[in-house]
Amino acid sequence: MKEKLKSLWTIERGFDLMDVTHGFFMIKFDLDIDHDKAINGPPWTIYDHYLIVHPWTLEFSVADATVEHTLAWVCLPSLGKIFYDENVLLSIASAIGTPIKVDHQMLDMA
């Protein structure tokens, strides 16, 4: 898993990975820039699962931790060209949740 994350995040230096049970891991990055990539990057997927990266806090408890929300990229296959408008795409996405943004490649039909 560590090598997969290193490749996914394009880590410049290294990091320590510790399994803290219940599907949670603690990661300590060698460089702040690598930390920022993981925290502020796009929605991450690893082994076909979403990976939620969140800064650690003193209040964190594995036993009480819950996932309240996550970012997800939504694919809309076979969408007619007439719908390739930012407002239309945001309206469609709002049926699923709260849309954050429309991918510019989507708008360009790339």
Side-chain angles (χ1 to χ4, degrees):
M1 182 166 153
K2 185 173 181 176
E3 288 305 313
K4 178 73 172 169
L5 289 173
K6 187 173 183 176
S7 172
L8 180 69
W9 291 330
T10 60
I11 297 295
E12 293 184 23
R13 187 73 57 85
F15 63 93
D16 295 321
L17 176 70
M18 181 174 48
D19 185 346
V20 293
T21 71
H22 297 359
F24 292 95
F25 295 85
M26 190 176 339
I27 300 173
K28 181 181 181 296
F29 293 93
D30 293 343
L31 296 176
D32 287 342
I33 191 169
D34 291 333
H35 168 271
D36 293 344
K37 282 183 201 176
I39 296 289
N40 300 317
W44 304 108
T45 57
I46 184 168
Y47 304 118
D48 297 324
H49 296 289
Y50 283 108
L51 174 67
I52 300 169
V53 182
H54 194 275
W56 182 80
T57 65
L58 290 173
E59 296 82 29
F60 178 76
S61 166
V62 171
D64 300 325
T66 59
V67 177
E68 296 176 13
H69 62 273
T70 186
L71 292 177
W73 179 77
V74 177
C75 179
L76 302 170
S78 304
L79 189 66
K81 290 182 182 182
I82 193 169
F83 299 109
Y84 282 79
D85 174 83
E86 186 168 15
N87 291 328
V88 172
L89 293 171
L90 289 171
S91 294
I92 293 170
S94 67
I96 299 167
T98 304
I100 305 299
K101 70 176 185 172
V102 175
D103 185 2
H104 291 291
Q105 289 185 341
M106 181 71 160
L107 289 176
D108 296 338
M109 294 183 269

